[in-house]
Amino acid sequence: MRTTALQMSSFAIAMAMACIFLLSSANAIRTSNNAFFTSAFHQRSPQCAFMATATSKQRQPRSQRRATRTQLAANGGMDAYDAQMAAMTASRDAYEAQMASINQPTATDEPTAIDESSMPASKWTGQNSYTQQLLQEQPAAASVGTDYSNSYSQYSPSNIDQSFAEEQSYSYSDDEATYAAAESAIDPYEMQFTNYLLSLQHELETASNEMNDYSPPMEAMNEQQPQPHSPSLEETTPSIIEQLDEEDMGDKFLKMVSNEVEYKKLLNQSPYAVTDIEWRVLIQRFLDNTEDSTQKKNGKFKGESKLNRKLVPKKERKTVVLLGTGWASHSFVKLASTYDLRVVVVSPVNHFVFTPMLASAAVGTVEYRSMTEPIRVTNPYIDNYVEGRAIGVDVEGKKIQVQLTSLSTVTGAFKGIATDAPCRLDPEPVQTSIVYSDDGAITRDKSMGAGDVIELSYDHLICSVGTSSRSSIVPGAKEYCFNLKTSQDSKRLRTAIGEALEFAARPDVQEFYYPDEETKFQAREERQRRLRIAVVGGGPTGVELSGELCDFFAQMCRSPDGAYQRLRDDIEILLIHGGSDLLPSMDTELRERALAALQSQGVSVILNTRLKEVGQDFIRIGEKGTDVVQTIPLAITIWAAGNAPVPFVKELLSQLPESAAGSGGRISVDQWCRCPTPSADSFGSIFALGDIACFEAQKKYETSPEALPQTAQVAGQQGAFVARMLNRGYDMELTPPKLPELSESEAFSLLRVWLIARGLEEAPGFNFLSLGLLAYCGQEEALNQVMVGDVPLFNYSGKLAFVLWRSVYLAKQASSRNQALIAFDWLRTETFGRDITRL
């Protein structure tokens, strides 16, 4: 056993010594090969001689190199970019001057040495992985003794002996043959670097094919890049210098891809990541909803205040006049504390309508009353509702003029009631009559009697009147186009579609009633005209309406039980859009999916086209950029292309300072939704919400603030935000609004303690939290872009997205009553079909 152990030990020692010998031999061979290759490298490529001196010093410690890279990556790599571009320009100028002196022999015919440190840079370091190895800055003179080796580089030699570097002093003579031979030598490092540039160019060209917006910089780069052969140093170096001379390539394009954010913008991708979610806003929104769940019941049960422990409302309540019954107004009324506020609602319609489902109601998928809620039912404890339209305002006097809606009944029982009776209660009548001119301006005729206009006083005026259709910009559109903004618009459109089907089924447009071919052709053309529908606008409203029309006609014309199955081949739906993509607010993949889904159902989508004129039975359209106009005969034209301010907004802007005028005729507001007013006494008394408010918000990766979109999400969140501020009792005349000093009995209410505990002695500004975008395309296919704020989470399309679309619409209904009615309508439609009865 001992002998065996000794033999094994001796064998192990021998094997260890053999391994050490082999490793030492391999290390020696590798060192000699490096020396040989480096010598050949410097002899064949004189431009790379500076690397010998650059690597003669000991490399920096790893921690120091990491710190250097971190500093270069600061500010998205742009600090390094600016410094290195300046140094590269100086190096290039020095190099050109050196080359010029070489080409001109001196009087003494002495050989001239090239200062290799003045040569142009070969790579640039930055944060983005695509540009880290594009151009590398080399600092000034190599003789200073600084380590010039690039820690990122995989091309430059890193271990060259100092004695060898001192021997490699290469100089040029005036012998042209020797100089040409040295220049034409092909360097493997140079070749590798050039191939890298070509591979990078190929990747950027691939991205450029998908992004036409940045094609000019890419075309410039295509013209300047060398072809994929093994170019010499003489060919490669001037091409790089030529690229640096171009302003677009050297500045604009490199800045574009110098960091991850700009590179994502180049590829039309969102620069936001999950780490950009504003968790503070989410937490505050959760706490606000907790407060709202208690505060919205405040004063709605026998006047009892749950938070202030009072049985009756305040005697000195502030009067809030609320204009409109849209999304902002509905959110405000639902959350307003009637214990603290006296709320008066003014609107020509007495109900809130769930506008995203107007397209469904227009074809009978759901009924009108299933998606509406009377404003008095939303909050039965509001002080009053006035059915009328605001037509004038006294900003300094804090009064508003309202034109009452004319009440007409079958019996006429409401005519002649004492409009001029003495001892009338507030509001008082105004001795004037309102007349609207063709341009929407308001004029007053004081010669008319009183009774149709009243005047209301307010402490706070909340203007959320919404917008009207912008159909007046096209000749004939206002007279002949159907709109889709109210429940009445949806009802009129449903009636028109039913009429179109009935008129197309009449015998006078059937071919078998006529003997000759010409008359048969005319009858067929007229029948097809009666069934041709044009939808103007490729936004969410236009896309959803087109999808709903496809579902409706597919059910009505299906075989064998369709009510209008003989008209199946005559129906045509046109979707006309002035842009190049449908749903411009959604991501590119969802836009393409929307286009494919509609076209697969037979919708004729016409892009990059303007509506020129609308007639009673025709439209004229023209492609953008051309003078060609096409006339299309049809029966129904639906306007879903744009919005315009209502006349009262123009009237209000005329009473406000010039700074109140925002983009698109909207009213500019601050971060608390307050309008600027002529004096400090009236400041904080007027709020603008929803579609008429121009609220500018600064996004994280944008250089300038942008106005929030005119969507239901924005309006609903703004209405709840203002209701919350007034419920809390902030002094809205201050900036920022603050909680007032209260008496000892009120200073320790539960609401005030809650606000102080949250640090809300000053009112926070409004923060819009987007939850995504939804759109329906027909045939049970929808598009979902789920977001949290500005951060996109995921996109869905197809059947699963349709389930999510219906779930969100059902959950967002005004009340549980509406949810039950909508669910029943969907079940009825799937089971029994849509109702086509004309009442």
Side-chain angles (χ1 to χ4, degrees), residues 201-479:
Q201 171 64 16
H202 177 71
E203 294 181 11
L204 294 178
E205 285 176 354
T206 303
S208 175
N209 293 332
E210 301 176 357
M211 290 304 303
N212 295 327
D213 295 341
Y214 298 96
S215 57
M218 297 303 299
E219 291 173 1
M221 189 170 185
N222 291 336
E223 296 175 0
Q224 296 168 9
Q225 276 292 346
Q227 297 299 320
H229 67 285
S230 299
S232 64
L233 183 62
E234 186 176 5
E235 296 175 350
T236 307
T237 304
S239 64
I240 297 177
I241 297 176
E242 187 178 358
Q243 292 176 19
L244 295 177
D245 289 337
E246 294 290 339
E247 180 180 356
D248 290 341
M249 291 301 301
D251 186 16
K252 183 178 179 180
F253 179 72
L254 288 179
K255 284 185 178 181
M256 190 181 303
V257 298
S258 61
N259 55 65
E260 183 179 3
V261 172
E262 296 298 331
Y263 183 70
K264 285 186 176 181
K265 290 182 180 179
L266 171 65
L267 300 180
N268 198 24
Q269 298 176 357
S270 174
Y272 295 92
V274 179
T275 55
D276 295 322
I277 296 178
E278 298 184 4
W279 299 102
R280 180 186 58 83
V281 177
L282 293 178
I283 295 174
Q284 292 295 331
R285 190 62 57 89
F286 172 77
L287 296 176
D288 289 340
N289 292 336
T290 303
E291 175 186 336
D292 295 340
S293 62
T294 303
Q295 189 74 355
K296 67 182 180 181
K297 299 179 181 179
N298 199 19
K300 296 181 182 178
F301 297 95
K302 300 180 181 180
E304 181 181 358
S305 172
K306 301 294 184 182
L307 297 182
N308 292 278
R309 303 184 183 279
K310 302 292 183 180
L311 297 179
V312 295
K314 288 182 179 179
K315 294 183 179 179
E316 301 296 332
R317 293 184 298 169
K318 290 186 177 181
T319 300
V320 178
V321 174
L322 180 63
L323 305 181
T325 53
W327 284 89
S329 301
H330 182 262
S331 297
F332 181 91
V333 171
K334 186 165 58 175
L335 295 181
S337 171
T338 54
Y339 171 81
D340 303 287
L341 304 172
R342 178 176 177 262
V343 181
V344 178
V345 181
V346 178
S347 177
V349 293
N350 70 340
H351 60 271
F352 162 77
V353 58
F354 191 82
T355 52
M357 300 195 70
L358 286 174
S360 298
V363 297
T365 306
V366 298
E367 295 297 329
Y368 316 108
R369 296 183 183 275
S370 300
M371 59 181 187
T372 59
E373 183 182 56
I375 200 67
R376 293 181 184 273
V377 175
T378 302
N379 189 342
Y381 296 95
I382 61 174
D383 190 76
N384 200 3
Y385 162 75
V386 179
E387 188 170 349
R389 190 185 305 270
I391 48 89
V393 61
D394 181 5
V395 175
E396 296 300 323
K398 296 185 178 181
K399 295 182 179 180
I400 187 170
Q401 298 173 359
V402 179
Q403 184 182 24
L404 299 177
T405 301
S406 177
L407 297 178
S408 59
T409 62
V410 176
T411 61
F414 295 98
K415 295 181 180 179
I417 292 182
T419 57
D420 54 352
C423 303
R424 283 178 58 89
L425 300 177
D426 183 69
E428 292 292 335
V430 179
Q431 298 292 334
T432 183
S433 181
I434 305 302
V435 180
Y436 293 95
S437 60
D438 295 337
D439 59 353
I442 299 175
T443 59
R444 293 174 173 80
D445 184 6
K446 295 186 178 182
S447 63
M448 302 294 292
D452 57 347
V453 176
I454 62 174
E455 196 169 65
L456 299 175
S457 300
Y458 64 83
D459 295 304
H460 294 293
L461 175 65
I462 300 178
C463 184
S464 56
V465 294
T467 56
S468 60
S469 296
R470 199 185 174 189
S471 56
S472 59
I473 61 175
V474 177
K478 185 177 182 180
E479 293 79 12

Side-chain angles (χ1 to χ4, degrees), residues 668-675 686-689 693 695 718-719 721-722 725 766:
S668 295
V669 296
D670 62 6
Q671 56 180 318
W672 295 278
C673 299
R674 300 175 298 184
C675 302
I686 301 179
F687 300 86
L689 309 178
F695 187 100
Q718 286 180 340
F721 171 76
V722 174
M725 285 196 303
F766 173 72

Side-chain angles (χ1 to χ4, degrees), residues 502-725:
E502 289 298 332
F503 274 81
R506 287 187 173 184
D508 61 328
V509 290
Q510 309 302 323
E511 294 97 321
F512 54 83
Y513 280 93
Y514 302 98
D516 58 301
E517 294 297 329
E518 182 179 357
T519 309
K520 288 183 179 180
F521 175 78
Q522 294 177 356
R524 183 168 59 254
E525 289 293 321
E526 175 61 19
R527 184 177 69 251
Q528 292 176 352
R529 183 197 67 81
R530 295 180 182 182
L531 292 174
R532 187 174 293 120
I533 301 175
V535 180
V536 183
T541 301
V543 170
E544 290 196 351
L545 179 58
S546 300
E548 292 285 358
L549 288 173
C550 290
D551 290 349
F552 174 75
F553 288 123
Q555 187 181 66
M556 292 296 104
C557 302
R558 67 188 177 188
S559 179
D561 58 345
Y564 298 96
Q565 54 184 303
R566 296 183 179 87
L567 303 176
R568 179 174 58 252
D569 298 331
D570 299 320
I571 296 173
E572 183 179 6
I573 302 173
L574 307 176
L575 179 57
I576 303 170
H577 183 51
S580 58
D581 293 306
L582 299 177
L583 302 173
S585 58
M586 286 190 170
D587 291 342
T588 303
E589 58 177 325
L590 296 181
R591 301 177 200 171
E592 296 173 354
R593 183 56 190 164
L595 178 62
L598 292 178
Q599 289 178 340
S600 65
Q601 299 173 67
V603 178
S604 300
V605 181
I606 306 174
L607 302 176
N608 294 313
T609 302
R610 298 288 190 186
L611 184 65
K612 300 293 185 180
E613 184 182 357
V614 180
Q616 185 174 3
D617 57 356
F618 70 92
I619 60 172
R620 289 191 174 94
I621 60 176
E623 186 177 358
K624 295 169 63 176
T626 64
D627 298 331
V628 179
V629 177
Q630 179 184 3
T631 301
I632 302 177
L634 45 70
I636 299 175
T637 306
I638 307 167
W639 182 271
N643 301 320
V646 299
F648 176 74
V649 176
K650 301 178 182 178
E651 179 74 10
L652 178 59
L653 284 173
S654 65
Q655 306 292 326
L656 299 178
E658 295 182 357
S659 59
S663 59
R666 294 188 282 178
I667 303 175
S668 295
V669 296
D670 62 6
Q671 56 180 318
W672 295 278
C673 299
R674 300 175 298 184
C675 302
T677 54
S679 65
D681 295 337
S682 58
F683 182 69
S685 62
I686 301 179
F687 300 86
L689 309 178
D691 292 350
I692 71 166
C694 183
F695 187 100
E696 293 186 346
Q698 178 68 53
K699 295 185 178 180
K700 183 175 181 179
Y701 295 120
E702 299 296 336
T703 57
S704 59
E706 297 179 357
L708 293 179
Q710 295 172 298
T711 61
Q713 280 193 74
V714 176
Q717 293 183 28
Q718 286 180 340
F721 171 76
V722 174
R724 206 173 289 122
M725 285 196 303

